[in-house]
Amino acid sequence: MVAVYAAAKVELSRCTGCKLCILACPDPNVIWFLPDDKKVKVEATRCKGCGLCVTTCSKAALVLEALTERART
Ligand code: SF4
Ligand code: SF4
């Protein structure tokens, strides 16, 4: 049996780099701001899949993506 988890994923073309998702995330080490690109990235292996960032982003730049256990390692 393959375990399936959810993790947030950034649609970079929609992200404006406003950082609201970073503030919304309960863990400070999951979403990182990329200063050069002015976008954010999600460390999928640390994401709990709670979805708070998804509901915070007004640009619809975050989605929850299903990951298998294999994909997280
Ligand atoms: S809230 Fe949305 S637009 Fe703002 S930095 Fe996060 S992903 Fe990008
Ligand atoms: S889904 Fe939850 S844990 Fe994952 S990046 Fe978004 S707010 Fe953080």
Side-chain angles (χ1 to χ4, degrees):
M1 189 174 86
V2 177
V4 178
Y5 303 86
K9 179 182 174 190
V10 185
E11 182 60 56
L12 290 175
S13 63
R14 290 177 175 267
C15 176
T16 61
C18 71
K19 304 183 189 175
L20 286 178
C21 54
I22 297 176
L23 298 174
C25 183
D27 186 324
N29 297 309
V30 180
I31 308 178
W32 297 94
F33 183 66
L34 305 173
D36 289 345
D37 300 332
K38 295 186 171 47
K39 312 273 184 190
V40 295
K41 74 164 191 174
V42 175
E43 288 286 345
T45 55
R46 293 180 175 154
C47 174
K48 306 291 190 295
C50 69
L52 285 173
C53 60
V54 175
T55 57
T56 298
C57 180
S58 62
K59 305 300 180 191
L62 287 160
V63 294
L64 282 182
E65 180 182 56
L67 298 175
T68 65
E69 187 172 28
R70 185 182 188 136
R72 286 169 56 98
T73 57

